[in-house]
Amino acid sequence: MARGTQPPPNEPPIEIGRYVSQIEIYLPLGSSDGPYDIRIVTATGEALFAGEGVARVREGITSLPVDANLSSITPGSYTLQVRKVGSEWNSFPLRVP
């Protein structure tokens, strides 16, 4: 997992459709439960979506459900950022088809 506001250069993008109502994010092994923030940002850092959720660990897997309305986001390439509240952002390449 890359830390900071820039995603790793050769990581394939995650795809999220514009018409989803909830995103379920599976966090890396060892991630703790509790409150998390997520956001989708442009290459210039403009936030197009911001949300929050509470991650839970079940059977060793930490999942983070987030209510989302992405219908106003134009299809394209973005950055998905996730952080435990009070920590730094972790960034992932994102594509909205």
Side-chain angles (χ1 to χ4, degrees):
M1 173 167 37
R3 298 210 181 273
T5 58
Q6 296 299 314
N10 294 323
E11 189 170 325
I14 298 166
E15 285 196 15
I16 299 176
R18 293 177 53 210
Y19 300 106
V20 299
S21 60
Q22 186 171 44
I23 301 168
E24 186 83 18
I25 300 171
Y26 295 99
L27 300 173
L29 186 64
S31 296
S32 60
D33 58 357
Y36 281 77
D37 296 320
I38 76 158
R39 65 185 180 185
I40 296 172
V41 298
T42 64
T44 62
E46 176 189 0
L48 301 177
F49 171 81
E52 56 189 33
V54 177
R56 304 222 187 288
V57 179
R58 292 185 189 97
E59 299 181 19
I61 298 172
T62 308
S63 63
L64 172 63
V66 178
D67 291 331
N69 178 355
L70 309 180
S71 61
S72 64
I73 295 179
T74 304
S77 296
Y78 302 99
T79 300
L80 172 67
Q81 297 180 322
V82 180
R83 72 174 175 187
K84 185 156 175 79
V85 172
S87 298
E88 64 182 272
W89 292 104
N90 297 296
S91 298
F92 306 90
L94 172 71
R95 188 171 91 75
V96 177

